Amino acid sequence: MSKEKAPRRPRAETPKGFRDYFGAEVTERKAMLDAIAEVYQLHGFEALETSGVETVEALGKFLPDVDRPNEGVFAWQEDSDWLALRYDLTAPLARVAAQYRNDLPTPYRRYAMGPVWRNEKPGPGRFRQFYQCDADTVGAPSVAADAEICAMLANALERVGIPRGDYLIRVNNRKVLNGVMEAAGVLDPADPARFAHERGIVLRAIDKIDRLGDAGVRALLGEGRKDESGDYTKGAGLSADQAEVVMAFMAAKRTDGAATLAALRDLVGGSAVGLEGVQELDTIAALLSAQGFGPDRIEVDPSVVRGLGYYTGPVFEAELTFEILDDKGNKRQFGSVAGGGRYDDLVKRFTGQAVPATGVSIGVDRLLAALRAKGRVGAEAPGPVVVTVMDRDRMADYFAMAADLRNAGIRAEVYLGNPKQFGNQLKYADKRQSPVAVIQGTDEAGRGVVVLKDLVLGAKIAQSATLEEWKDRPAQVEIPRADLVQAVRQMLEG
């Protein structure tokens, strides 16, 4: 009789595109998000937590038009409905604003932080689950709301440890872009759909100015461009005169903000929407200046292009300007860590009525990486004090020691593994990066004392001490049990 085949054991591995976060990473992220939340709350924004699951109908703006609406998101069918893990934090906000519109104040100002999921092909640094940190104002048509978002973003960056001079928030306006397109003959205000394809190519070309330079962008505005690999990208087909208008737009930035606005005003010519956009930028600049935000922190920059079919007015991007070393050892600027803008059509999907909205999203992982590069986080936090177990019958005494330390605000734990080999307890303490071990055997208990072992000092001594010095055990001290908390605190501070 054949033996029954043993069931296959599950593989202990993380699914592709996902990762696990351990102690220090979780602690650092929470500390950063808590600091950002303090800034948002100071500006009067309230926290909102929405479900991780939304209906696909609510997330429909982000999904392709396919028979099975589960491409791009993690979705499943339940009865007649499709449900999906949320793709971002903005679509749930639009749903909340519509669902509770009779109960929420207008404008509604909220911030949200949490994981989102995208069913996309994973790659280096590209995960299917990641954190977002958003702040939005819904129901405020004035660009004063956009100015407030920019000011709040600057305050948040400084609050978490990015000093002035190491970041710059750049502001543009999609209306100005549309005005330039109109002046260049790429956009017809009476028939905007007619030039939609060419307009998209132009906007994408502008967005590549840092990577391709003037010559590369000019080629994309014209017939097209062939890259180093030989791949050809069809251009927008603009004439030389039309391309010159777009190139002049990208070169409109001046050292003086008023001069930049004047140059943009000339470029949009008689375009009503373009002039409206320039006036909005002027208003934003004035509101920020009144609060002490100069061009060293927030500036108007025509090269900012975000969300081709999404944003309807001001757009902004936070860029970190300090240098880091890339994987090849070359210096480069850190780059963008946050972006956002005005989107006045998202809530309309639910209500049929236009609802103005503006907001910003911070790239949590990128900002954490920036803080590590600046040395603001990343130092290994000490682990808990470990109370070792010398006598199993005296566990109550050991737990009492740990409780005394915790009541004094000191992290502490009792070793709960097999106490038979004392050396294993110290190995455990080292793996936990514990700064101090508390030791009390039967002899010490009878004399009312405990032994404290300074594990940090001990590790340093072990690297260079002579045998005689090591035998003196300078990292180990005996103290009265009653002085446990005070002695441990002094050791930690030392």
Side-chain angles (χ1 to χ4, degrees):
M1 186 175 182
S2 62
K3 291 184 178 180
E4 190 173 320
K5 188 176 181 180
R8 179 181 175 275
R9 293 178 179 175
R11 290 177 295 177
E13 62 180 22
T14 310
K16 290 183 179 179
F18 295 86
R19 58 165 298 193
D20 300 310
Y21 297 87
F22 293 90
E25 295 174 291
V26 176
T27 302
E28 290 168 1
R29 181 177 63 204
K30 182 180 183 303
M32 184 185 77
L33 293 178
D34 286 347
I36 293 173
E38 288 179 6
V39 174
Y40 290 169
Q41 289 169 355
L42 281 173
H43 282 75
F45 284 64
E46 294 186 351
L48 172 68
E49 288 188 5
T50 59
S51 167
V53 176
E54 295 280 344
T55 65
V56 163
E57 186 179 24
L59 297 173
K61 182 176 180 64
F62 303 101
L63 295 174
D65 186 17
V66 293
D67 292 335
R68 287 175 56 83
N70 61 355
E71 187 176 333
V73 297
F74 290 98
W76 62 95
Q77 194 166 13
E78 190 171 284
D79 298 328
S80 60
D81 293 328
W82 277 88
L83 303 179
L85 294 175
R86 63 189 180 198
Y87 186 92
D88 71 356
L89 298 177
T90 309
L93 170 64
R95 189 261 306 160
V96 166
Q99 183 176 349
Y100 301 99
R101 61 185 180 276
N102 295 327
D103 303 317
L104 294 174
T106 302
Y108 174 52
R109 300 139 65 85
R110 82 89 176 88
Y111 68 90
M113 303 170 177
V116 297
W117 297 266
R118 297 187 182 179
N119 190 5
E120 300 170 340
K121 184 177 180 180
R126 187 180 184 90
F127 295 98
R128 289 171 164 175
Q129 176 181 323
F130 52 93
Y131 259 73
Q132 285 192 337
C133 172
D134 289 14
D136 297 79
T137 299
V138 178
S142 168
V143 292
D146 302 273
E148 180 181 46
I149 291 288
C150 290
M152 191 167 67
L153 176 57
N155 289 335
L157 291 175
E158 293 179 17
R159 174 66 180 81
V160 300
I162 305 296
R164 297 182 192 183
D166 276 350
Y167 75 88
L168 187 62
I169 298 172
R170 303 181 298 137
V171 186
N172 196 8
N173 196 311
R174 293 306 300 274
K175 294 177 182 177
V176 178
L177 281 167
N178 289 340
V180 171
M181 300 294 163
E182 187 179 333
V186 186
L187 181 66
D188 182 356
D191 187 10
R194 179 184 170 193
F195 296 99
H197 178 67
E198 291 84 354
R199 176 175 173 268
I201 296 176
V202 170
L203 292 176
R204 282 188 286 272
I206 294 173
D207 198 30
K208 296 175 181 176
I209 184 67
D210 290 339
R211 183 164 60 88
L212 301 182
D214 287 359
V217 172
R218 196 181 293 273
L220 287 177
L221 294 177
E223 294 303 316
R225 175 182 179 272
K226 182 181 291 187
D227 62 22
E228 296 176 355
S229 68
D231 290 340
Y232 182 79
T233 302
K234 192 178 186 311
L238 303 189
S239 68
D241 290 341
Q242 289 176 318
E244 194 56 43
V245 174
V246 177
M247 296 302 295
F249 165 73
M250 287 185 289
K253 181 181 174 183
R254 306 288 191 270
T255 55
D256 176 72
T260 300
L261 292 171
L264 291 175
R265 195 172 282 109
D266 289 340
L267 282 169
V268 300
S271 168
V273 68
L275 290 172
E276 181 182 352
V278 174
Q279 182 56 50
E280 289 180 354
L281 287 176
D282 195 6
T283 301
I284 290 173
L287 290 171
L288 290 170
S289 178
Q291 301 174 67
F293 293 92
D296 60 322
R297 301 164 75 187
I298 307 175
E299 69 171 5
V300 174
D301 187 341
S303 68
V304 177
V305 179
R306 295 187 59 82
L308 301 181
Y310 186 76
Y311 293 112
T312 59
V315 290
F316 24 88
E317 191 166 73
E319 185 177 282
L320 302 189
T321 56
F322 61 86
E323 290 185 334
I324 60 171
L325 296 178
D326 61 20
D327 295 337
K328 298 181 180 178
N330 300 318
K331 288 184 177 181
R332 65 172 180 83
Q333 285 194 338
F334 192 90
S336 175
V337 293
R342 178 163 287 273
Y343 53 99
D344 287 346
D345 296 331
L346 197 55
V347 182
K348 185 178 181 180
R349 294 178 53 245
F350 296 92
T351 64
Q353 300 174 333
V355 179
T358 185
V360 66
S361 181
I362 294 176
V364 174
D365 291 333
R366 280 191 60 78
L367 184 53
L368 260 180
L371 293 175
R372 291 190 185 102
K374 294 293 291 182
R376 301 293 181 179
V377 296
E380 290 291 343
V385 172
V386 171
V387 179
T388 61
V389 175
M390 304 295 289
D391 185 349
R392 296 188 193 209
D393 295 333
R394 298 183 49 253
M395 289 297 288
D397 292 337
Y398 300 133
F399 273 103
M401 294 179 197
D404 288 346
L405 293 170
R406 293 180 194 132
N407 291 336
I410 299 172
R411 292 184 69 199
E413 66 172 81
V414 177
Y415 179 75
L416 296 179
N418 187 344
K420 188 174 182 181
Q421 294 292 332
F422 181 71
N424 288 340
Q425 299 195 49
L426 295 183
K427 288 180 181 178
Y428 170 82
D430 286 338
K431 187 169 286 190
R432 294 283 281 128
Q433 297 181 325
S434 304
V436 178
V438 179
I439 305 167
Q440 189 190 62
T442 303
D443 176 64
E444 288 85 7
R447 293 187 290 114
V449 299
V450 295
V451 173
L452 301 184
K453 188 175 183 62
D454 188 330
L455 300 176
V456 177
L457 179 59
K460 292 180 180 179
I461 292 173
Q463 293 176 357
S464 59
T466 64
L467 180 61
E468 289 73 20
E469 289 172 334
W470 183 83
K471 288 182 176 179
D472 287 340
R473 297 185 178 181
Q476 195 163 298
V477 62
E478 185 177 276
I479 53 104
R481 166 64 177 88
D483 296 340
L484 173 65
V485 171
Q486 180 183 354
V488 168
R489 179 175 283 120
Q490 289 176 347
M491 193 170 282
L492 293 175
E493 292 174 351

